[in-house]
Short mmCIF file of all heavy atoms in Angstrom, two decimals:
data_model
loop_
_atom_site.label_atom_id
_atom_site.label_comp_id
_atom_site.label_asym_id
_atom_site.label_seq_id
_atom_site.Cartn_x
_atom_site.Cartn_y
_atom_site.Cartn_z
N VAL A 295 -12.44 6.46 3.47
CA VAL A 295 -11.44 6.95 4.36
C VAL A 295 -11.87 6.57 5.79
O VAL A 295 -12.94 6.92 6.24
CB VAL A 295 -11.33 8.50 4.24
CG1 VAL A 295 -10.25 9.04 5.16
CG2 VAL A 295 -11.00 8.90 2.80
N THR A 296 -10.99 5.81 6.44
CA THR A 296 -11.39 5.20 7.70
C THR A 296 -10.58 5.65 8.90
O THR A 296 -9.40 5.27 9.00
CB THR A 296 -11.30 3.63 7.51
OG1 THR A 296 -12.16 3.25 6.45
CG2 THR A 296 -11.73 2.92 8.76
N PRO A 297 -11.20 6.43 9.79
CA PRO A 297 -10.58 6.77 11.07
C PRO A 297 -10.99 5.70 12.09
O PRO A 297 -11.60 4.67 11.71
CB PRO A 297 -11.19 8.11 11.41
CG PRO A 297 -12.58 8.03 10.84
CD PRO A 297 -12.52 7.11 9.63
N GLY A 298 -10.67 5.95 13.35
CA GLY A 298 -11.06 4.95 14.40
C GLY A 298 -10.08 3.81 14.38
O GLY A 298 -10.39 2.67 14.65
N ILE A 299 -8.80 4.10 13.96
CA ILE A 299 -7.83 3.07 13.81
C ILE A 299 -7.05 2.90 15.16
O ILE A 299 -6.57 3.84 15.78
CB ILE A 299 -6.80 3.44 12.71
CG1 ILE A 299 -7.53 3.54 11.35
CG2 ILE A 299 -5.61 2.44 12.68
CD1 ILE A 299 -8.21 2.25 10.93
N THR A 300 -7.02 1.66 15.60
CA THR A 300 -6.28 1.29 16.83
C THR A 300 -5.14 0.36 16.45
O THR A 300 -5.21 -0.34 15.42
CB THR A 300 -7.21 0.59 17.83
OG1 THR A 300 -7.84 -0.48 17.15
CG2 THR A 300 -8.26 1.52 18.37
N LEU A 301 -4.11 0.34 17.30
CA LEU A 301 -3.08 -0.66 17.14
C LEU A 301 -3.60 -1.95 17.84
O LEU A 301 -4.27 -1.86 18.86
CB LEU A 301 -1.79 -0.20 17.82
CG LEU A 301 -1.01 0.86 17.02
CD1 LEU A 301 0.05 1.51 17.89
CD2 LEU A 301 -0.43 0.24 15.77
N ALA A 302 -3.25 -3.11 17.29
CA ALA A 302 -3.63 -4.36 17.94
C ALA A 302 -3.16 -4.35 19.37
O ALA A 302 -2.00 -4.03 19.63
CB ALA A 302 -3.10 -5.55 17.16
N GLY A 303 -4.06 -4.62 20.28
CA GLY A 303 -3.69 -4.65 21.73
C GLY A 303 -3.66 -3.27 22.35
O GLY A 303 -3.44 -3.11 23.55
N GLY A 304 -3.95 -2.21 21.54
CA GLY A 304 -3.93 -0.83 22.06
C GLY A 304 -5.28 -0.51 22.71
O GLY A 304 -6.21 -1.26 22.63
N GLU A 305 -5.32 0.69 23.29
CA GLU A 305 -6.58 1.17 23.90
C GLU A 305 -7.48 1.78 22.84
O GLU A 305 -7.12 2.69 22.15
CB GLU A 305 -6.21 2.27 24.91
CG GLU A 305 -5.89 1.77 26.31
CD GLU A 305 -7.05 1.06 26.93
OE1 GLU A 305 -8.16 1.59 26.90
OE2 GLU A 305 -6.87 -0.08 27.43
N PRO A 306 -8.72 1.29 22.70
CA PRO A 306 -9.59 1.85 21.68
C PRO A 306 -10.09 3.26 22.05
O PRO A 306 -10.53 4.00 21.17
CB PRO A 306 -10.79 0.86 21.59
CG PRO A 306 -10.70 0.04 22.81
CD PRO A 306 -9.29 0.11 23.36
N GLY A 307 -10.10 3.65 23.29
CA GLY A 307 -10.54 4.99 23.71
C GLY A 307 -11.98 5.22 23.26
O GLY A 307 -12.81 4.33 23.32
N GLU A 308 -12.23 6.43 22.74
CA GLU A 308 -13.63 6.77 22.35
C GLU A 308 -14.00 6.09 21.04
O GLU A 308 -15.11 6.24 20.59
CB GLU A 308 -13.88 8.28 22.30
CG GLU A 308 -13.35 8.97 21.10
CD GLU A 308 -11.97 9.60 21.40
OE1 GLU A 308 -11.19 9.01 22.20
OE2 GLU A 308 -11.67 10.67 20.84
N HIS A 309 -13.06 5.40 20.44
CA HIS A 309 -13.41 4.65 19.21
C HIS A 309 -14.12 3.36 19.52
O HIS A 309 -14.57 2.66 18.63
CB HIS A 309 -12.14 4.29 18.41
CG HIS A 309 -11.39 5.42 17.85
ND1 HIS A 309 -11.99 6.42 17.13
CD2 HIS A 309 -10.09 5.73 17.88
CE1 HIS A 309 -11.09 7.27 16.73
NE2 HIS A 309 -9.93 6.89 17.18
#
Side-chain angles (χ1 to χ4, degrees):
V295 181
T296 301
I299 297 301
T300 51
L301 286 168
E305 272 299 311
E308 77 263 35
H309 293 311

